[in-house]
Amino acid sequence: MDAHPMSVTSAARKKTSKIYQDLNTTRLHSTSFRKLSIMDRVLKLETLSPSKKPHIGIIGAGFAGLRCADVLLRNGFRVTILEARNRLGGRIYQERLPNGHLVDVGANWIHGTTNNPIMDLVKETKTAVGVWDDHSYVFDEDGQPLSPKEGEKYSTLMWNIIEAAFEYSDKHGSETDPDRTLLDFFQEQAVKRIPDTEEGYEKQRYILLQMAELWGNFVGSPISKQSLKFFWLEECIEGENLFCAGTYSKVLEKVSQPAIDGADIRYQTRVSEIHGKSTAQNDVVRVKTTDGQVLEFDEVVVTCPLGWLKQNLQAFFPPLPDRLCKGIQNISYGCLEKVYISFHTAFWLTPSPDEGRIVQGFGQWLAPKYAPDSNPNRWVTEVVELGSLGAAAHPTLLFYTYGDQSQYLTSKLRALASQKEKHAFLLAYLEPYYARLPSYDGASADCQPTACFATDWSGDELAGNGSYCNFQRGLVEGDKDIVAMRNGVPGEGIWLAGEHTAPFVALGTVTGAYWSGEHVGRRIAQGCWKGRESLNLEGGGVDGG
C-alpha cells in the first residue's frame, strides 16, 4: 500500500493548504543573501581561534543531527556530536542477513519525489529504488485470494477514502471533535460509497473496513486510534513513494561525511542531564553524561527521538516550559516493526499453476481466521516482496506489523534465548501467510527460508521504544504541539530537532528529520550572526548546504 502517492494537495489548494503554508515558513525562509556573501562570513568566523568559535553540542547522530552539523560546520562553527550508540545514523541502519543480503532496519521508503532533498541524495549516490504498480494480492479472512478485479476495487475504494479524509481534515479539522477517528470516517464513507441498494453491500463494507486496517502500516497504530481532526498532518510530499531498494547505506554515508570530516564525534556517550544557560553564571549549556563527564556548549541541539523525550523530561534543568512538555506528551509515538524472510528463489514471481497469478509488489492477508493459535486476534498482515527490484532484487519477503501485533512479536522474541529459537518462532508465525503465495510448495527446496531477521524498535531505549510520531484520538492542538517542539527553548540555548519537529508535510519521515536539523542549524547561525556585531557582519542569510 505504501506505493501510492501520499499527497493529494492540488496546485490550486496549495495556496491555502496548512501543510504547504507551514513548509514555506519553515523550509524556505532564511535563504536569501544580501551584500556580504556567506563565504565572507565563514572566513571571518574561521579566522577566530577554536576557543572563540561558537561551540555547538548536538545530541544524537541521526539524520537530524548529521544535517544540523553539516549546516553549522559550513558556517564556521565548532561542533561536537554526542552519540549513545557506536555508529552514526540513528534509526537509519542496515543489517546483513545470514545469506549476504543487506536490508534496512529502519526507514525503507522515500516519501515523495517532488522537491525532496532525500530523493536528490538518492540520485546523487546512484542508490537503486523500486516502484510497483498499484495492484495488490489480497487474501480474505478465509485465506482465499480475491480476484484481481475485486482487489483493485477495494484498494481503489480505500485510497479514495484516505484522500477524502485528508481533504476533510484539512478543511474541517478546526471544528472536528477530537475523539473522532479515521475509523469513524471510514465507517461513514463505507455506507455512502457502498449503498444498501448494491448487491452484497454488507459483505463489501465488511471487506473494505478490513482493508482500512492496513493504514496502520503507515503510522504504526490502528485506525481506531488515528485522529481525524489532525489526519491532515499525515499527508506527505507530492510524488511517488519509492522503495529504497539499494538501502539507505550510501545516502547515510553522504549525509555523515561532513560530520566525520569536521565534527568531534563522541560515540557511546549517553546524556543524563541537560542544564540550560540560566543555571550557569557563564551563559553556557552544560551536558552531563552517564559516565560523569560535564561538557559545556554555547548551544545544544537535542535530536533524540520523541519517545526518548517522553521518557526523559526530568533530564532538563530548568524543566522545559509547560507548553513544550505538553507538546512532547500530546503527540503519540508509533510502533512499526518488520520481519525479513529470504528464500532460495522468489517463488511468488512464478505464475501459479491454477490462475497464472503472481505477487509483484504487495500482498495482504485480511483478518485471518486460519491461524487461531498464533493469531487469535486476527491481526492483518502485509508483505512487500523484494524479488522484482531489478538489479537490487533478492528473494526476500518484508513483512510489516504495527501496534499490538508488533508488541506481541517483539516481546515473544525477547523471551527466546537463541537465534535458532527466534527464527523458528517467526517462521511458524508467518508460514500461514507466505504459504498462500503463488507457486509455494512446502516440499520444494526453492520455497524453504534461508534467512530471517526481525526489528525490535519497541525494545530499543535509545529509539524511545517505538518508531516515529503519529496523531491519535483526543489530540486537541496537534499542529501547535509540533510548533512548540520545533521552537525549542532558545533562551536556554536548548533546541529540538528530529522527525517530530519537521515541517508538517514531512513529519515522521527521513526527509522531515533532515529538514528539521537543517532548520535548527540555520536558526542558530542566524542568531550568532546577529549577535556578533564586532565582526562587522551584514545581512541575515546563512548557508543551508
Side-chain angles (χ1 to χ4, degrees), residues 201-454:
Y201 69 91
E202 291 180 322
K203 182 179 180 180
Q204 291 186 56
R205 292 173 185 170
Y206 182 65
I207 294 175
L208 174 60
L209 292 176
Q210 289 178 333
M211 288 282 291
E213 293 180 28
L214 294 166
W215 177 257
N217 287 319
F218 280 102
V219 295
S221 297
I223 62 172
S224 59
K225 294 183 178 181
Q226 176 85 59
S227 167
L228 179 63
K229 183 179 182 71
F230 288 102
F231 189 57
W232 61 274
L233 288 174
E234 295 289 2
E235 191 173 352
C236 290
I237 300 169
E238 288 181 290
E240 295 179 291
N241 276 1
L242 300 181
F243 189 84
C244 199
T247 77
Y248 265 99
S249 57
K250 292 181 181 179
V251 175
L252 174 57
E253 289 178 11
K254 186 72 177 178
V255 174
S256 301
Q257 201 59 55
I260 293 172
D261 292 340
D264 175 15
I265 304 175
R266 304 188 184 187
Y267 296 100
Q268 295 182 305
T269 302
R270 291 197 181 205
V271 169
S272 58
E273 296 179 9
I274 302 168
H275 295 256
K277 291 184 176 182
S278 66
T279 66
Q281 294 182 347
N282 54 348
D283 199 38
V284 297
V285 184
R286 289 174 297 135
V287 175
K288 292 186 178 181
T289 66
T290 54
D291 61 0
Q293 298 181 69
V294 178
L295 307 171
E296 294 186 347
F297 303 101
D298 292 291
E299 312 277 341
V300 167
V301 184
V302 182
T303 72
C304 303
L306 174 62
W308 187 93
L309 292 174
K310 287 176 177 289
Q311 298 166 18
N312 291 277
L313 288 175
Q314 75 285 351
F316 293 89
F317 299 89
L320 296 177
D322 288 345
R323 186 64 190 87
L324 176 51
C325 289
K326 287 179 182 178
I328 291 170
Q329 298 293 24
N330 288 345
I331 302 301
S332 300
Y333 203 49
C335 182
L336 185 67
E337 304 284 0
K338 60 189 75 170
V339 179
Y340 290 92
I341 301 180
S342 290
F343 297 83
H344 284 287
T345 66
F347 60 85
W348 51 88
L349 295 176
T350 300
S352 60
D354 47 357
E355 298 178 326
R357 294 183 68 182
I358 64 172
V359 173
Q360 188 170 11
F362 300 88
Q364 292 101 16
W365 294 266
L366 306 180
K369 290 181 178 178
Y370 43 86
D373 295 330
S374 59
N375 188 3
N377 294 297
R378 299 175 60 194
W379 292 311
V380 299
T381 301
E382 182 170 32
V383 74
V384 180
E385 62 82 23
L386 309 183
S388 58
L389 291 174
H394 51 98
T396 300
L397 297 174
L398 167 53
F399 291 87
Y400 286 103
T401 66
Y402 67 88
D404 290 342
Q405 186 178 28
S406 287
Q407 295 285 3
Y408 169 76
L409 290 176
T410 53
S411 62
K412 282 287 189 181
L413 290 169
R414 277 181 232 129
L416 298 174
S418 69
Q419 285 300 116
K420 184 177 180 180
E421 290 175 301
K422 295 176 190 290
H423 289 182
F425 168 75
L426 285 171
L427 296 178
Y429 184 86
L430 293 171
E431 191 271 343
Y433 313 112
Y434 66 72
R436 283 174 163 76
L437 294 176
S439 300
Y440 176 81
D441 179 358
S444 170
D446 288 344
C447 300
Q448 296 305 305
T450 61
C452 187
F453 175 80

Side-chain angles (χ1 to χ4, degrees), residues 49 59 73 91 113 162 189 213 242 259 287 330 421 458 516:
S49 67
I59 302 174
L73 289 165
R91 285 170 286 177
T113 51
I162 289 291
Q189 290 291 310
E213 293 180 28
L242 300 181
V287 175
N330 288 345
E421 290 175 301
S458 63
S516 74

Side-chain angles (χ1 to χ4, degrees), residues 498-509:
E499 51 83 17
H500 50 287
T501 71
F504 296 152
V505 75
L507 290 165
T509 69

